Every structure is written in structure tokens, then in C-alpha cells.
Amino acid sequence: MMGRRQFLFGATGMAVAVAGCTTTPRAAFVAVPRPALPDAALMYAAIADEQFPVPAARIDLIDPKYYRQVVKDPTGEKPGTIVVDTPRRFLYLVQEDGHAIRYGVGIGRDGFAWGGRARIQYKRKWPKWTPPSEMIDRQPELEKYRHGMSPGLDNPLGARALYIFEDGKDTLYRLHGNMDARSIGRAVSSGCVRLLFQDVIDLYERVPDGTSILVLQTDAGGQNA
């Protein structure tokens, strides 16, 4: 586990554009007492009462260190802050008692294109996804989604998306759901920060609009990832 450290951040824009489709009410930050989380089989079980029923996650394909769990907070950030440790593929939600909920994440190539402090401007359940023109140029088969791909299990944003803005401007950087368990803990393909559907649903319920987020793009030695 890393201690409190200073990090250097990248500051370039991303090449992934997405669009939301529903509004969500503002919620309060939810602190979780220890021990807080059920075992992995319960955490990652199927969710039947969603707009699109979510199948159980294939956690047998994931290193157990990436399962959602409560750990000692390594970030030193204020409670309620989200911290994405890009090199280690972890996302932390800082709690009140010196601990944090840690989620395993997958990082797309574009996930290394932005870092720093920002806010979750808003959140969406089962969002629409709109590929940017540059992506359509590279993959003409995406032309049919130029005006947006309908929500669903196969939508690249999955069950939830959290939209990150810096100084009031859209970074085009998202935290979002992902069906492919094999991508957790890895940097693959395009995209932003991906969580299993069960994890992004859990995170979505714990944080309000306006939540502070810190994205780290360097390792413990200060080297760029």
C-alpha cells in the first residue's frame, strides 16, 4: 500500500466523448463502518431489479485484490473524495475513519490522457453512449451510433457513468461500468476508468454530484505510468 505522496499529473484532453440521457437526484456521501462489505459472491451476484437485469460478475477471472474491500486509506484525502490510482488500477472512496473503500478498475489507453483534481459534475443511470467523430473515422462500423447508442448491457458505459469536469469544463473523462471482468486490473482498448457493473452501481449510490476526484497518473517513485 502506498502512503501519502505527491504526484505529477498529465493535463491533456481525452479522445472519448460520451453523452448522458437521464437525470439523478443529489445524494449525500455515505460513509461505511468497518467491517462494511459482504463477501465477494454476494457483492458480485446478479442484480435483477435494474432497468436491464445485471448478470453475476465473473469474479473468477479477476485477481482477488481487485475485489471491492475496505482498506486503510493510503491517500490522505478528505472523506468523500474519490482517488483513482491509475498505475495500480485502484479507485478509492475515502471514508470518515481513516479507511477507504477500494475498487479494482480497468484503464483504457485514453485513461492515461488526463490527471489532476476535478469534480463529478453529474451522474447517469444506464447512459447513452456517443462515439466521437475521430473514433467513427477509425471504426466506420460505429457510424450508426453517431447520434448515440441506446442504454443496455452492451453499451460501452454500462449501468452507470460519472462525468468529470475540471474548472466547469468537461474533461471527457468518465468513471463507468464494464461487463468484461478480464479488463479489471488491466489497461486495454479505448475508454476511461471502468468498474464492474456491481461496483459502479455501488459507487454511484455512495457519492453525490459535486464529489471531488483526484486522478493520479504516476507511480510511487514519481515516474509516469
Side-chain angles (χ1 to χ4, degrees), residues 59-67 69 181 184:
I59 58 173
D60 57 306
L61 301 177
I62 303 172
D63 187 320
K65 72 180 181 181
Y66 295 117
Y67 295 170
Q69 56 192 282
I184 301 302

Side-chain angles (χ1 to χ4, degrees), residues 94-194:
V94 181
Q95 300 293 290
E96 296 279 358
D97 62 349
H99 289 77
I101 300 177
R102 191 179 75 187
Y103 304 81
V105 300
I107 306 292
R109 288 190 302 265
D110 295 324
F112 293 99
W114 182 86
R117 293 185 182 272
R119 292 188 178 277
I120 302 298
Q121 188 76 4
Y122 57 89
K123 310 177 296 177
R124 295 290 184 265
K125 292 183 178 181
W126 296 103
K128 181 184 290 187
W129 174 69
T130 304
S133 296
E134 295 86 352
M135 182 178 289
I136 295 173
D137 290 342
R138 295 193 304 268
Q139 299 174 259
E141 68 274 14
L142 297 178
E143 176 63 39
K144 60 185 177 181
Y145 301 126
R146 184 175 292 275
H147 301 294
M149 180 180 183
S150 298
L153 295 176
D154 294 329
N155 183 295
L157 293 182
R160 303 288 189 273
L162 291 77
Y163 297 73
I164 302 173
F165 280 56
E166 182 181 30
D167 298 326
K169 297 180 180 180
D170 190 353
T171 64
L172 304 182
Y173 195 80
R174 317 294 188 226
L175 310 178
H176 64 84
N178 175 55
M179 282 281 285
D180 186 2
R182 291 167 296 185
S183 72
I184 301 302
R186 301 175 62 191
V188 294
S189 187
S190 298
C192 303
V193 177
R194 307 150 175 201

Side-chain angles (χ1 to χ4, degrees), residues 36-54:
L37 303 176
D39 65 32
L42 291 176
M43 284 193 295
Y44 296 110
I47 306 175
D49 59 353
E50 281 286 324
Q51 179 181 350
F52 302 93
V54 174

